[in-house]
Amino acid sequence: MPVNITSIKTSSNGAWQGDNPLDFAFPLLIVQATLIIVLSRFLAFLLRPLRQPKVIAEIVGGILLGPSAFGRNKGYLHRIFPKWSAPILESVASIGLLFFLFLVGLELDLSSIRRSGKRAFGIAFAGITLPFIGGIGVAFVFRKTIEGADQVGYGQFLVFMGVALSITAFPVLARILAELKLLTTQVGETAMAAAAFNDVAAWILLALAVALAGDGNGGEHKSPLISIWVLISGVAFVAFMLIVIRPAMKWVARRCSPEHDMVDEAYICLTLAGVMVSGFMTDLIGIHSIFGAFVFGLTIPKGEFAERLMERIEDFVSGLLLPLYFASSGLKTDVATISGGRSWGLLVLVITTACAGKIIGTFVVAMMLMIPARESLTLGVLMNTKGLVELIVLNIGKEKKVLNDESFAILVLMALFTTFITTPTVMAIYKPARGGSSSGTHRKLGDLTTTKDARDELRILACAHGPGNVPSLISLIESARSTKKSQLRLFIMHLVELTERPSSITMVQRARKNGLPFINRSRRGEWHDRVSGAFQAYSHLGRVSVRPMTEISALATMHEDICQVAENKRVTVIILPFHKQWRGEGDDQSMENMGHGWRGVNRRVLKEAPCSVAVLVDRGFGNGSRTPGPNTDVTQKVCIVFFGGPDDREALVLGGRMAEHPAVKVTVLRFVEKEEERNHVVLQLSPSKCSEQSYSFSTAAMNREEEKDLDETAMAEFRNNWAGTVEYSEKEASNIVEGVLATGRSGDYDLIVVGKGRFPSTMVAELADRQAEHAELGPVGDILASSGHGVVSSVLVIQQHDLAHKEEAQVSRVVHTGYEKYKPGESSCVGAISNDVV
């Protein structure tokens, strides 16, 4: 039944007094917003493996909430999204849209557009012209085919259809490029500049379309002078903003710079008020209010002030208010209006015209500009990105009654499809070549002990999630800093997850170069971020060169950059922080879990790294004692646990470097089997086991006798070199788990170093069928890193780089008593994996 909007009250008196909160504006808005956010976040989680931007999930969520899906239940639709609530929801969503377009203006760097020159302009011109012409052709088909489409004036309908097909969603494109690590490559920079040109042209065309459309009630019958006055006023507004407001905002930005120690709250509040005033002015002129907010964003100079503005409003706008806009769009979209072969044929026509116009137009011009064919095709696909800006255009067309329900639904599905295919298509056709080091890339710590060049550097790439990882990293690196042999070159990589926030895109542009992380340069004598700054004092120590960098990437692809930097910089070992970190001591100790995504980063680096890898499980290493210095007394006690195998030998090499440091006391604890309990263990493939909860070992067939000789030789050399400096002890343990845990629980050591054990000794192989908590650390590392065992020492798990060990598989063990049955030198001896499946 019809509802008088003036009779709707804001808040209820409560259920106890007989009021239903859903009959009142504010409680209903809370329910609507909660439902929208939960659904959009759930869909974003489902689409994450497909590498889709969050805008796709928000558009789909809006459509699902509307009459296309859930809204088919009229009881739900009338209760949760009644017609009288639409103006309230749209008003709140429009505030979010206003500020989002302001953020888009902040992101858009006009100077970068000017730097791109004719190339980007030519691509943008072709990317607009051809699909715009195609849109006009589609408009004629629509007017002849869709009932009611011919009731709108030719002028505004042609312009709206042309803009809808020719627009490129600049903010969505920026996120796709950042996700694919193309944002700072030549292709990405060209696409961004062309999209910026496209955006500016699209907003001008949209302003023209709005001016022509009028109020949606017969705009074609109005005097042409009205549209001319609207356009002249719009041009005057833009000129006023760029000539008067832009210099004023530059003055404000200078006043809020770090050099001025003053509170800038008043300036920020006035700027946010300026967004709304600008939106009101363009609405007063007759152009949509979002145009004013966009132009005002362009007047803000890029720098510290713009970044602070982003930080203040981006989460609230993009996380809460913007999904409301998509939901309000979805409530207007009824896919059921697309029925029959005629309507589906029109949808195919629109999608084909939009894609062909953008891709062919961009490809031809890019080829004419001497851009390689693969890159030209990639540019065409990228320029075909639609998304948020497309929905804005369509919603304005619906609001102005230029588009009816069927036209609107067809164009929304077109925007959804073209954006959805962008990422997988680009991944399929284009992968930028990444320069690597042709020699000396695949290295391990053992290589440095055999070199004759005393000046050879130990190169370490240390990764950090945040400032909390810094003390333990500095302590570990300083402990490994040989005072006699090679010098140390340290690369610090601050790992930051790429998000949908505009500031995240700005950080990517600042922290990457040519598609890869690059070394941060000092600015005004200070280093950029807190993690890099924490190493500034440490870099002043002798023989240590510290080079910081920031890696901003999606967690699913972060390992690619870590491995690529390790190869380019000829790194010897990568140090990764464990995804769990313990804080405090004793009963006050608490654990911080960074999440499963960061664990996945470590697992992929361990698998793909071009050098040795160490994972640091930090339980306060470096916090309870001083960082060791070259002239201090013993401040750290390190235990090297040795079972045998390549990974354990790498741990032994690290122990030798630590033994050179006068402030580090090294103990080697070797576990040996009792003679009467020796077994021969065969590991068999077990593909049915879950990789998350079972250990994996190398599938390479290795000669156990040779491995045993290598272990003995390495231990003999170690003891000979460090006799009297390193404490050595052997331990016979019938229960390995208890023996290892006793060492970790004792509190005698600040750090325990173990090998991952991919080609395990007999003792470690017997743990193969044990249920793992952290399988990527290997059996011994997992025992020491698992929670609830009372281990108080920090743990470093080392994996030696060896291409022969790259292939791993989940296994179970089969124990054969009687070691003498097997001939020396057999490849099927201890630790080898049989091809039989259990």
Side-chain angles (χ1 to χ4, degrees):
M1 66 182 209
V3 177
N4 183 2
I5 189 67
T6 59
S7 67
I8 301 300
K9 294 182 180 179
T10 303
S11 58
S12 71
N13 294 318
W16 294 113
Q17 299 189 45
D19 285 349
N20 184 345
L22 297 183
D23 292 334
F24 296 83
F26 189 59
L28 180 61
L29 180 63
I30 293 174
V31 173
Q32 292 172 338
T34 304
L35 179 62
I36 291 164
I37 292 168
V38 169
L39 180 60
S40 62
R41 286 294 176 181
F42 175 70
L43 291 173
F45 173 77
L46 294 181
L47 292 173
R48 189 180 299 169
L50 299 178
R51 309 278 290 276
Q52 292 298 321
K54 187 161 64 78
V55 65
I56 291 288
E58 291 170 340
I59 295 174
V60 173
I63 293 174
L64 290 177
L65 289 171
S68 302
F70 299 162
R72 291 181 177 275
N73 184 326
K74 299 303 179 184
Y76 149 84
L77 192 64
H78 294 155
R79 175 52 64 190
I80 305 299
F81 292 101
K83 287 187 177 180
W84 61 262
S85 71
I88 301 168
L89 179 63
E90 290 180 11
S91 296
V92 175
S94 295
I95 294 175
L97 184 63
L98 196 72
F99 280 99
F100 182 79
L101 266 295
F102 169 67
L103 291 175
V104 173
L106 280 178
E107 280 187 76
L108 191 57
D109 189 356
L110 294 177
S111 61
S112 67
I113 299 177
R114 288 195 295 268
R115 287 196 302 269
S116 301
K118 296 179 181 179
R119 172 180 287 193
F121 179 78
I123 291 172
F125 181 78
I128 292 175
T129 306
L130 196 58
F132 190 89
I133 295 172
I136 292 176
V138 170
F140 281 106
V141 176
F142 270 41
R143 291 178 69 88
K144 297 289 186 182
T145 310
I146 297 179
E147 185 179 352
D150 57 352
Q151 296 179 7
V152 183
Y154 262 108
Q156 59 263 44
F157 190 71
L158 296 181
V159 173
F160 260 104
M161 290 296 296
V163 171
L165 268 65
S166 63
I167 204 166
T168 297
F170 176 83
V172 179
L173 176 62
R175 278 147 190 80
I176 290 175
L177 289 169
E179 175 88 10
L180 297 176
K181 306 184 192 303
L182 299 177
L183 189 61
T184 54
T185 62
Q186 185 174 4
V187 169
E189 289 178 346
T190 303
M192 285 286 283
F197 274 123
N198 196 317
D199 250 19
V200 173
W203 289 120
I204 294 172
L205 291 171
L206 180 60
L208 173 64
V210 172
L212 290 172
D215 60 1
N217 294 315
E220 69 276 16
H221 301 303
K222 292 189 175 183
S223 170
L225 290 176
I226 294 177
S227 299
I228 294 173
W229 277 116
V230 169
L231 291 174
I232 292 174
S233 301
V235 171
F237 170 80
V238 173
F240 174 79
M241 296 296 287
L242 296 179
I243 296 172
V244 178
I245 302 301
R246 185 174 176 82
M249 295 311 300
K250 285 184 178 180
W251 179 84
V252 170
R254 286 195 300 269
R255 297 288 296 173
C256 296
S257 62
E259 288 85 356
H260 293 85
D261 187 16
M262 62 177 297
V263 178
D264 56 0
E265 294 297 327
Y267 292 111
I268 289 179
C269 291
L270 286 173
T271 302
L272 298 181
V275 177
M276 293 185 283
V277 171
S278 300
F280 175 79
M281 291 304 298
T282 49
D283 192 79
L284 182 67
I285 290 170
I287 304 173
H288 201 280
S289 57
I290 58 174
F291 183 73
F294 174 73
V295 174
F296 186 68
L298 293 177
T299 66
I300 309 293
K302 307 301 176 281
E304 296 280 347
F305 184 60
E307 291 174 14
R308 291 187 191 183
L309 287 171
M310 287 185 184
E311 291 172 359
R312 297 293 176 91
I313 64 175
E314 62 184 350
D315 287 332
F316 184 68
V317 171
S318 61
L320 177 64
L321 298 181
L322 205 57
L324 302 184
Y325 182 79
F326 289 111
S328 64
S329 303
L331 292 171
K332 304 172 191 172
T333 306
D334 189 358
V335 179
T337 59
I338 309 176
S339 59
R342 176 187 58 83
S343 294
W344 288 106
L346 289 175
L347 176 61
V348 173
L349 173 66
V350 170
I351 291 175
T352 304
T353 305
C355 294
K358 275 284 186 186
I359 296 173
I360 294 174
T362 302
F363 176 80
V364 171
V365 173
M367 289 291 290
M368 292 171 62
L369 294 170
M370 308 303 292
I371 297 176
R374 189 183 294 267
E375 293 184 12
S376 299
L377 185 60
T378 303
L379 280 171
V381 175
L382 289 170
M383 294 298 290
N384 195 38
T385 303
K386 299 291 191 291
L388 170 67
V389 185
E390 173 83 359
L391 273 222
I392 295 171
V393 173
L394 300 181
N395 273 285
I396 294 173
K398 187 86 176 338
E399 177 187 327
K400 301 294 183 181
K401 300 180 182 178
V402 176
L403 303 175
N404 61 14
D405 290 345
E406 187 175 353
S407 303
F408 181 77
I410 288 173
L411 293 173
V412 166
L413 291 183
M414 179 271 292
L416 192 64
F417 178 80
T418 53
T419 305
F420 187 87
I421 65 171
T422 298
T423 298
T425 306
V426 171
M427 289 176 64
I429 64 175
Y430 183 71
K431 187 70 175 178
R434 298 197 167 197
S437 177
S438 58
S439 62
T441 298
H442 298 153
R443 307 181 69 179
K444 49 185 178 288
L445 287 169
D447 294 341
L448 294 176
T449 63
T450 59
T451 181
K452 296 180 180 179
D453 187 357
R455 296 172 297 174
D456 192 16
E457 291 180 318
L458 169 61
R459 292 170 170 254
I460 296 177
L461 174 60
C463 302
H465 296 148
N469 300 125
V470 171
S472 57
L473 281 176
I474 290 180
S475 294
L476 174 61
I477 292 162
E478 174 59 25
S479 299
R481 186 171 70 92
S482 171
T483 57
K484 299 178 182 178
K485 292 183 180 178
S486 57
Q487 296 185 1
L488 175 65
R489 182 177 292 272
L490 176 61
F491 300 92
I492 298 296
M493 181 178 282
H494 184 189
L495 306 179
V496 181
E497 182 180 5
L498 176 68
T499 67
E500 294 281 339
R501 302 170 69 182
S503 60
S504 184
I505 305 302
T506 305
M507 289 173 64
V508 171
Q509 291 173 314
R510 189 173 65 234
R512 297 179 76 88
K513 185 177 183 181
N514 299 327
L516 283 170
F518 73 101
I519 303 299
N520 291 347
R521 304 300 181 187
S522 61
R523 179 176 59 184
R524 294 188 293 274
E526 297 179 358
W527 290 15
H528 280 236
D529 59 53
R530 293 170 61 193
V531 172
S532 300
F535 283 88
Q536 187 172 17
Y538 179 65
S539 69
H540 295 156
L541 294 175
R543 303 178 69 189
V544 180
S545 173
V546 179
R547 306 295 296 276
M549 64 188 79
T550 304
E551 150 64 354
I552 305 172
S553 178
L555 295 184
T557 59
M558 187 173 285
H559 67 286
E560 296 176 0
D561 281 337
I562 296 173
C563 295
Q564 188 66 41
V565 169
E567 186 160 348
N568 289 346
K569 302 300 181 184
R570 295 179 291 113
V571 166
T572 307
V573 62
I574 300 171
I575 301 177
L576 298 171
F578 193 50
H579 67 282
K580 295 179 181 177
Q581 186 172 6
W582 283 262
R583 312 281 186 185
E585 296 181 0
D587 296 335
D588 297 330
Q589 194 176 67
S590 61
M591 185 191 72
E592 178 184 355
N593 193 334
M594 297 296 294
H596 189 77
W598 289 103
R599 181 187 180 188
V601 174
N602 287 1
R603 292 167 69 97
R604 288 185 286 272
V605 173
L606 284 164
K607 184 178 180 180
E608 303 293 339
C611 60
S612 293
V613 182
V615 180
L616 177 60
V617 182
D618 182 22
R619 289 191 175 96
F621 184 57
N623 292 331
S625 60
R626 296 174 294 156
T627 298
N631 300 315
T632 61
D633 297 331
V634 173
T635 60
Q636 291 176 355
K637 297 180 180 179
V638 178
C639 178
I640 312 296
V641 176
F642 189 88
F643 287 94
D647 294 339
D648 283 33
R649 293 197 293 271
E650 189 80 344
L652 200 63
V653 174
L654 179 62
R657 296 190 65 89
M658 290 180 167
E660 293 182 354
H661 203 293
V664 180
K665 176 64 175 177
V666 177
T667 299
V668 174
L669 177 60
R670 185 176 188 182
F671 282 81
V672 294
E673 291 181 278
K674 295 181 179 179
E675 289 292 334
E676 65 274 13
E677 294 184 2
R678 284 194 174 180
N679 288 327
H680 187 85
V681 180
V682 175
L683 300 179
Q684 295 192 320
L685 294 175
S686 182
S688 61
K689 281 194 172 184
C690 173
S691 61
E692 297 279 333
Q693 298 178 345
S694 59
Y695 304 115
S696 59
F697 298 104
S698 172
T699 59
M702 298 182 69
N703 189 307
R704 181 57 192 163
E705 293 302 317
E706 290 183 4
E707 285 296 307
K708 189 175 181 180
D709 291 341
L710 289 173
D711 289 341
E712 295 298 334
T713 301
M715 185 59 70
E717 291 180 357
F718 183 87
R719 297 183 65 181
N720 182 58
N721 292 336
W722 305 111
T725 303
V726 174
E727 183 178 332
Y728 175 83
S729 63
E730 291 186 355
K731 188 172 185 179
E732 289 186 346
S734 56
N735 189 327
I736 302 171
V737 175
E738 287 302 321
V740 171
L741 285 177
T743 305
R745 291 168 179 162
S746 66
D748 295 336
Y749 307 106
D750 299 302
L751 180 69
I752 298 175
V753 183
V754 300
K756 182 181 175 183
R758 289 167 300 159
F759 186 75
S761 65
T762 305
M763 292 177 286
V764 176
E766 289 178 349
L767 303 174
D769 55 359
R770 180 178 176 272
Q771 185 170 351
E773 185 176 344
H774 311 106
E776 68 274 14
L777 300 182
V780 180
D782 180 32
I783 292 169
L784 291 169
S786 297
S787 55
H789 289 165
V791 177
V792 295
S793 302
S794 296
V795 182
L796 186 71
V797 181
I798 294 184
Q799 172 184 287
Q800 184 190 70
H801 176 73
D802 194 329
L803 290 176
H805 293 173
K806 187 173 183 179
E807 296 300 323
E808 299 180 13
Q810 282 74 44
V811 300
S812 60
R813 69 185 177 94
V814 179
V815 180
H816 299 275
T817 306
Y819 188 81
E820 67 279 0
K821 290 187 198 176
Y822 294 88
K823 298 177 183 178
E826 279 187 336
S827 62
S828 61
C829 56
V830 182
I833 296 179
S834 168
N835 289 324
D836 297 331
V837 178
V838 177

